[in-house]
């Protein structure tokens, strides 16, 4: 059964926050929600075209603070309605695919040294994620304290931090047990 793409809703939600171009959307994802959501340029640009064709967003020219003109997308009223309708009616579906757990589950078929190396790589990624989360939490407290979405952003950051710490602890334990077996 093919899964429905949620890219259009992600882009509508992001554009409901602020007008952006495709590059800025990708950077926004990387700097804010990448710990639970990702979209590639290959997903973003075709979806922006479809959303514009469907009248859910519109492209317009904006002048930045330096006087430079750039094209950005803005969500339309019908786009915001479509996003809210999806938010209200769509059941939550968590992603069930996890390559880390898959490799550990079938770890007997893998070179233990390589599995430990890959686990160490995951540990380094998680430590970098924690650093990014801390930075984003700091920005929320200083730069976005009065934003109407601040409380919701903090809910997701708290989850991400706890989940990352849990994953880090678990991977460290698994790595130690595999190293003991060698």
């Amino acid at each position: 059964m093919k899964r429905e793409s949620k890219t259009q809703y992600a882009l509508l939600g992001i554009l409901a926050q602020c007008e952006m171009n495709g590059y800025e959307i990708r950077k926004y994802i990387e700097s804010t929600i990448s710990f639970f959501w990702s979209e590639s340029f290959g997903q973003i640009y075709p979806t922006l075209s479809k959303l514009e064709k469907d009248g859910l967003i519109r492209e317009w020219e904006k002048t930045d603070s330096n006087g430079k003109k750039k094209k950005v997308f803005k969500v339309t009223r019908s786009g915001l309605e479509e996003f809210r309708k999806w938010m209200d009616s769509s059941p939550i579906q968590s992603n069930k695919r996890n390559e880390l757990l898959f490799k550990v589950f079938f770890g007997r078929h893998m070179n233990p040294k390589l599995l430990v190396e890959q686990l160490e790589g995951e540990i380094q990624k998680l430590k970098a994620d924690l650093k990014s989360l801390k930075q984003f939490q700091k920005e929320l407290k200083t730069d976005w304290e009065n934003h109407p979405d601040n409380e919701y952003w903090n809910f997701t950051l708290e989850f991400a931090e706890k989940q990352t710490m849990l994953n880090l602890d678990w991977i460290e334990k698994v790595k130690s047990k595999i190293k003991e077996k060698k």
Side-chain angles (χ1 to χ4, degrees), residues 121-138:
E122 284 299 308
I123 289 167
Q124 295 311 310
K125 281 192 248 176
L126 289 169
K127 286 180 178 179
D129 287 348
L130 276 175
K131 188 176 178 181
S132 295
L133 286 168
K134 294 287 186 195
Q135 179 61 36
F136 191 40
Q137 286 171 331
K138 186 178 168 185

Side-chain angles (χ1 to χ4, degrees), residues 22 42 45 49 54 59 83 85 87 102 105-106 126 135 137 180:
Y45 286 107
S49 294
D54 294 345
E59 184 179 43
F83 176 65
K85 184 174 109 183
M87 289 287 288
F102 187 89
F105 186 85
F106 292 107
L126 289 169
Q135 179 61 36
Q137 286 171 331
E180 287 172 11

Side-chain angles (χ1 to χ4, degrees), residues 99-129:
E99 192 171 330
L100 166 69
L101 293 178
F102 187 89
K103 286 201 170 189
V104 171
F105 186 85
F106 292 107
R108 177 176 64 87
H109 301 284
M110 189 172 180
N111 178 326
K113 183 180 177 187
L114 290 176
L115 181 54
V116 166
E117 286 176 13
Q118 289 186 12
L119 292 173
E120 287 172 352
E122 284 299 308
I123 289 167
Q124 295 311 310
K125 281 192 248 176
L126 289 169
K127 286 180 178 179
D129 287 348

Side-chain angles (χ1 to χ4, degrees), residues 32-152:
T32 58
I33 63 174
S34 63
F35 56 90
F36 66 87
W37 197 273
S38 68
E39 298 290 349
S40 69
F41 284 120
Q43 295 166 300
I44 292 171
Y45 286 107
T47 304
L48 286 172
S49 294
K50 182 182 180 324
L51 290 171
E52 186 176 24
K53 183 179 158 223
D54 294 345
L56 301 176
I57 64 172
R58 68 178 177 89
E59 184 179 43
W60 67 292
E61 202 169 83
K62 178 181 178 179
T63 305
D64 67 17
S65 57
N66 298 326
K68 184 179 173 190
K69 293 183 186 237
K70 66 178 182 176
K71 292 189 176 190
V72 294
F73 293 95
K74 179 179 185 171
V75 70
T76 61
R77 181 174 284 127
S78 60
L80 189 56
E81 288 171 11
E82 180 71 20
F83 176 65
R84 287 180 174 157
K85 184 174 109 183
W86 176 79
M87 289 287 288
D88 289 344
S89 66
S90 178
I92 295 172
Q93 296 179 7
S94 297
N95 186 354
K96 298 273 186 190
R97 296 174 76 111
N98 186 318
E99 192 171 330
L100 166 69
L101 293 178
F102 187 89
K103 286 201 170 189
V104 171
F105 186 85
F106 292 107
R108 177 176 64 87
H109 301 284
M110 189 172 180
N111 178 326
K113 183 180 177 187
L114 290 176
L115 181 54
V116 166
E117 286 176 13
Q118 289 186 12
L119 292 173
E120 287 172 352
E122 284 299 308
I123 289 167
Q124 295 311 310
K125 281 192 248 176
L126 289 169
K127 286 180 178 179
D129 287 348
L130 276 175
K131 188 176 178 181
S132 295
L133 286 168
K134 294 287 186 195
Q135 179 61 36
F136 191 40
Q137 286 171 331
K138 186 178 168 185
E139 288 175 23
L140 281 181
K141 284 181 182 168
T142 57
D143 301 341
W144 301 96
E145 186 177 13
N146 297 320
H147 193 282
D149 292 324
N150 185 284
E151 181 179 25
Y152 296 97

Side-chain angles (χ1 to χ4, degrees), residues 12-44:
L12 287 172
I14 291 166
L15 292 172
Q17 303 255 318
C18 184
E19 305 153 351
M20 295 182 219
N21 61 35
Y23 177 79
E24 290 168 329
I25 290 170
R26 178 75 174 119
K27 290 295 173 195
Y28 176 89
I29 291 169
E30 287 174 3
S31 67
T32 58
I33 63 174
S34 63
F35 56 90
F36 66 87
W37 197 273
S38 68
E39 298 290 349
S40 69
F41 284 120
Q43 295 166 300
I44 292 171

